[in-house]
Amino acid sequence: MTQNCNALYAQAGGVTAVINSTAAGLIAAWRQQAPAGARLFGARDGIVGLLEERLVDLSALHEPELDMLGYSPSAALGTCRHVLQPEEHARLVAVLQRHRIGTVFYNGGGGAARACGDILAIAQAAGYPLNVVHVPKTIDNDIPDTDACPGFGSAAKYLATSLREASLDLAAMAGSSSKVFILETMGRYSGWLTAACGLAARHPGEGPHILLLPERPFDEERFLRRVRETVDRYGHCAVAASEGLTGANGELLHATGQRDAAGDRQLGGVAPWLAARVTARLGYKCHWSVADYLQRSARHLVSATDVAQARATGQAAVMIALAGERHFSPVIRRLADDPYRWDIVAAPLAVVTAPERRVPADFLTADGYQLSAAGRRYLAPLIVGEDYPPFRDGLPDYRIPAFTDISLSP
């Protein structure tokens, strides 16, 4: 058997509703196509689990377990946000060598893509032959060179659905109660999720009436004027705002004051901040909500398109790697809008570690407050179709497979 014929799969960063579909596709493809005797390990809690040698045997999973995995939310193996430190380099290479790992599949967003570059550099510096594959996922939809990121379509579907329902609630109560509702979405640097909320409005007067993205600096006077005009015209105003909303000077409007494990400022709280400004300046009763974990964990309302792309991305990662491609990311390429057609190609690792992809200016109307025809044309296919999990006693019947720790393997 070829030396270093084994592979390792790990999950990183914030979860998505379909990251386990990617895992299921990747594991199934490995079982079907890998050389005889080659094993696929999984690392618990991402790169941290690899460093600590907390590995499981993914090769041992059978079809019923893969089916369960594909329907599960969260990240079955656990994730992490971790930047490799110099003192960890030797340990990383030692674990790879001990388990004869020749390929690392790291499933995550921009942070995971950068970690892949770090892993590759560490292996090359040590003279260790390693193929590093970034398997994309993020609800932020900001990885360069892919039409869409697995996980985004489902989060977009959940947010647009929630805002359509909340807007109807708001309209029903506006005569004697709240007149403004603000939904805060994730999105540190890019406003893809907020833009997707615009899909909820199909006709004039339907919410959301205002979209606030990081790509457009926030102007309080202009915003309040638009809120007043909307309430005067329709009786109520629904707003979607990105957590990473910035002012004219590029500074975040609101942050928690804390930082995450990767050193980024933790965001959240822009919705109550905006609501306070609306009430103080306009006198309207205002409700707000922060979607937070709900938008990325809602497996009960995933996009069937997103599930298909997530699974196909995992499969392609294996197939392309086994065909000899090195240091790449399997990305989605759009072939047509209507009907939506796509395929998967390999993008060099260096491309997907580039700065975040942001929402194009022409995806919004000239005033920046609503989704344009071009934006709707891009976003609409990504939320199409349903892929419901099995239900039991009125609730989704989620079951994470019981992975076998390799220390217990024969």
Side-chain angles (χ1 to χ4, degrees), residues 218-347:
F218 179 73
D219 183 325
E220 182 172 326
E221 297 302 321
R222 186 166 171 265
F223 165 68
L224 293 173
R225 185 165 60 250
R226 184 60 170 261
V227 172
R228 185 187 294 278
E229 291 170 353
T230 303
V231 172
D232 287 346
R233 184 171 185 180
Y234 301 116
H236 62 284
C237 179
V239 180
S242 297
E243 63 180 359
L245 196 62
T246 61
N249 60 0
E251 284 294 311
L252 290 168
L253 292 183
H254 193 278
T256 65
Q258 300 176 331
R259 293 185 181 272
D260 63 20
D264 291 324
R265 296 173 67 184
Q266 288 189 338
L267 304 185
V270 76
W273 184 87
L274 289 168
R277 303 307 299 155
V278 168
T279 300
R281 296 287 303 279
L282 302 179
Y284 298 142
K285 185 177 180 181
C286 186
H287 275 255
W288 56 268
S289 180
V290 179
D292 202 56
Y293 278 20
L294 301 179
Q295 66 204 287
R296 71 189 201 189
S297 62
R299 182 58 182 81
H300 68 285
L301 193 63
V302 294
S303 154
T305 298
D306 192 25
V307 172
Q309 291 182 335
R311 188 173 184 90
T313 299
Q315 293 170 333
V318 170
M319 302 297 288
I320 295 172
L322 291 178
E325 189 75 28
R326 298 182 64 78
H327 318 317
F328 68 94
S329 181
V331 298
I332 298 163
R333 179 175 60 177
R334 183 176 297 221
L335 303 176
D337 288 326
D338 187 17
Y340 181 47
R341 294 189 299 110
W342 52 276
D343 64 6
I344 295 178
V345 296

Side-chain angles (χ1 to χ4, degrees), residues 30-47:
W30 182 267
R31 283 168 51 86
Q32 294 166 5
Q33 302 295 330
R39 299 177 73 181
L40 176 65
F41 301 118
R44 295 192 185 274
D45 303 326
I47 197 71

Side-chain angles (χ1 to χ4, degrees), residues 22-32 40 58-59 61 66 69 403:
T22 296
L26 189 148
I27 296 167
W30 182 267
R31 283 168 51 86
Q32 294 166 5
L40 176 65
L58 297 179
S59 307
L61 289 182
L66 289 177
L69 179 64
F403 299 112

Side-chain angles (χ1 to χ4, degrees), residues 8-75:
L8 178 127
Y9 168 78
Q11 299 171 318
V15 306
T16 78
V18 298
I19 187 173
N20 289 335
S21 295
T22 296
L26 189 148
I27 296 167
W30 182 267
R31 283 168 51 86
Q32 294 166 5
Q33 302 295 330
R39 299 177 73 181
L40 176 65
F41 301 118
R44 295 192 185 274
D45 303 326
I47 197 71
V48 172
L50 176 58
L51 290 169
E52 296 174 354
E53 213 163 351
R54 292 185 286 114
L55 307 181
V56 300
D57 187 358
L58 297 179
S59 307
L61 289 182
H62 300 295
E63 291 302 322
E65 294 172 303
L66 289 177
D67 288 341
M68 287 193 305
L69 179 64
Y71 277 114
S72 301
S74 181

Side-chain angles (χ1 to χ4, degrees), residues 64-295:
E65 294 172 303
L66 289 177
D67 288 341
M68 287 193 305
L69 179 64
Y71 277 114
S72 301
S74 181
L77 289 168
T79 77
C80 71
R81 298 186 190 276
H82 181 74
V83 178
L84 286 164
Q85 302 301 307
E87 61 271 19
E88 297 171 329
H89 292 187
R91 171 63 178 171
L92 175 72
V93 174
V95 175
L96 294 172
Q97 287 178 324
R98 181 177 298 113
H99 298 283
R100 300 170 58 207
I101 294 170
T103 303
V104 169
F105 299 103
Y106 207 23
N107 195 180
R114 291 186 288 274
C116 285
D118 293 341
I119 294 168
L120 177 59
I122 292 167
Q124 289 177 335
Y128 183 80
L130 183 69
N131 189 11
V132 183
V133 180
H134 171 251
V135 187
K137 73 92 192 127
T138 176
I139 68 168
D140 292 333
N141 201 40
D142 59 358
I143 296 175
D145 212 45
T146 185
D147 181 63
C149 301
F152 169 70
S154 295
K157 185 184 187 80
Y158 175 85
L159 288 167
T161 299
S162 298
L163 198 44
R164 174 172 289 178
E165 294 171 343
S167 295
L168 292 170
D169 187 302
L170 179 67
M173 297 291 293
S176 59
S177 185
S178 298
K179 296 188 181 300
V180 179
F181 173 72
I182 302 172
L183 176 65
E184 178 180 321
T185 75
M186 289 182 172
R188 175 180 296 275
Y189 302 112
S190 57
W192 290 102
L193 288 169
T194 299
C197 291
L199 293 171
R202 292 180 296 187
H203 306 289
E206 293 183 338
H209 307 95
I210 299 175
L211 304 175
L212 300 175
L213 283 67
E215 287 84 349
R216 298 290 184 102
F218 179 73
D219 183 325
E220 182 172 326
E221 297 302 321
R222 186 166 171 265
F223 165 68
L224 293 173
R225 185 165 60 250
R226 184 60 170 261
V227 172
R228 185 187 294 278
E229 291 170 353
T230 303
V231 172
D232 287 346
R233 184 171 185 180
Y234 301 116
H236 62 284
C237 179
V239 180
S242 297
E243 63 180 359
L245 196 62
T246 61
N249 60 0
E251 284 294 311
L252 290 168
L253 292 183
H254 193 278
T256 65
Q258 300 176 331
R259 293 185 181 272
D260 63 20
D264 291 324
R265 296 173 67 184
Q266 288 189 338
L267 304 185
V270 76
W273 184 87
L274 289 168
R277 303 307 299 155
V278 168
T279 300
R281 296 287 303 279
L282 302 179
Y284 298 142
K285 185 177 180 181
C286 186
H287 275 255
W288 56 268
S289 180
V290 179
D292 202 56
Y293 278 20
L294 301 179
Q295 66 204 287

